[in-house]
Amino acid sequence: MNQCQSSNVPIDQEVVCPEAVDRIRGIISTLPIENGWRFIEPLCLYQGFWCHPSLTERIMLGEEFFKAEPNDIFVCSPPKSGTTWIKALTFAIVTRTCFDGSTSPLLLKMPHECVPALHRIFGKKPDIREPGLPLIATHSPYASLPKSVLNSDCKIVYICRDPKDAFISLFHFKAKLRPQEIEPISLEAAFDLYCEGKSDFGPFWDHILGYWRTSLERPGKILFLKYEDMMKDTTFYVKKLSEFMGYPFSLEEEKEGVVQKIVELCSFEFMSNLEVNKNGMLFGIRNHQVRNKNFFRKGKVGDWRNHLTPEMAERLDKIIEQKLAASGFGRDWLNVKPVLEEQQV
Ligand code: PAP
């Protein structure tokens, strides 16, 4: 046992090297701060990404101390891009032989409680893994993942979403969590910050590109998914996910409709109507309580049209075009279709 390990440590106390925690807090206290969102905590800039200090602490601890197992599967995403959904799907896929549709823990626990998140609890528990479950979720950018994850063969599932919808989802979520004594930020001011890359785990374009580029270099390592594609053909992507994760459906399972049952169990309509997701609570940043229902707002593609002006959409589209589409990706998120290409067809 080295100095950073201890036995019999109660859950919910810092168990990773206290010296490391002090050192990391010292580093965080020197980072640039952004408080424009006027939220429970400001954002700090770590390794080129903005993140709440309490989460940055977990990310830094994870980078240094988390030991990936070869069978671990990391479920990664920028915020508000389908995390809850992909957690439910991956959980349902890997646990399907233990539970059926009437006994799944997803019926009683919110997906965030079923799949542990590195950036929330690492350092609070001796081992954040749930027994028998290979899944660990995080919003960490690719380069800030624990070194053992980057250097091992453990797999990564990544989901992202049209930033216009991800922004609207984030704006509504933060508005609901804001303590009453803090004055709300306007949609316009939040949008400016988002476009400047100053949002949770932003800049969104660098978050996406980190995983996208690695998925091209190491396709066996990262399965790169988009919310919109998954909405269009969930069945196809559930099969793809299960194959990638090493839990393929047998022909018999397919005939018995197991895939379809998972699709339905994890659907927005079904999940958002479960008692736990309507009335349950989670602990969020600094132990602020978050209503589970806040993770289930509309679950639609293109809701941004109800909130962004054409000018705002165009501004974000330009960023998508310059930062993402130029790297060969994300073109289908652009509101304005490329005229030249259409004329040539
Ligand atoms: P997180 O980053 O805080 O975990 P995340 O789950 O990534 O949040 O994003 C929440 C969005 O996913 C919400 O989108 P909206 O605000 O545009 O409605 C939420 O409604 C949507 N969502 C949650 N569960 C599902 C689901 N089962 N299917 C499809 N979309 C879902």
Side-chain angles (χ1 to χ4, degrees), residues 35 37-42 52 174 177-179 182 284-290:
N35 205 12
W37 283 85
R38 288 185 249 121
F39 195 58
I40 301 161
E41 274 190 351
H52 295 294
K174 286 201 162 231
L177 262 62
R178 178 182 52 82
I182 302 180
I285 290 170
R286 289 209 187 158
N287 282 344
H288 274 252
Q289 288 205 308
V290 187

Side-chain angles (χ1 to χ4, degrees), residues 77-85 87-88 112 120 139 161 165-166 168-170 172-173 227 231 266-269 271-272 294-300 303:
S77 56
K80 304 297 154 201
S81 298
T83 320
T84 311
W85 190 22
K87 278 185 178 179
H112 286 314
R120 289 210 175 269
H139 284 318
R161 181 185 195 187
D165 278 332
I168 291 300
S169 186
L170 182 69
H172 282 103
F173 184 75
Y227 183 91
M231 287 294 261
C266 301
S267 69
F268 180 88
E269 290 66 30
M271 296 221 102
S272 59
N294 291 339
F295 291 91
F296 300 89
R297 195 181 60 95
K298 284 193 178 171
K300 294 259 179 286
D303 182 48

Side-chain angles (χ1 to χ4, degrees), residues 100-137:
D100 63 27
S102 62
T103 56
S104 174
L106 288 165
L107 299 171
L108 298 173
K109 290 204 284 179
M110 207 267 180
H112 286 314
E113 286 185 285
C114 294
V115 178
L118 185 77
H119 63 272
R120 289 210 175 269
I121 58 174
F122 189 71
K124 280 193 172 183
K125 287 186 176 188
D127 185 354
I128 63 166
R129 292 178 184 84
E130 292 294 329
L133 187 75
L135 305 171
I136 298 167

Side-chain angles (χ1 to χ4, degrees), residues 65-72 74 129 146 148-150 152 154:
F65 294 106
F66 181 83
K67 296 274 173 287
E69 306 269 347
N71 293 336
D72 285 343
F74 267 69
R129 292 178 184 84
S148 60
V149 176
L150 302 180
S152 71
C154 74

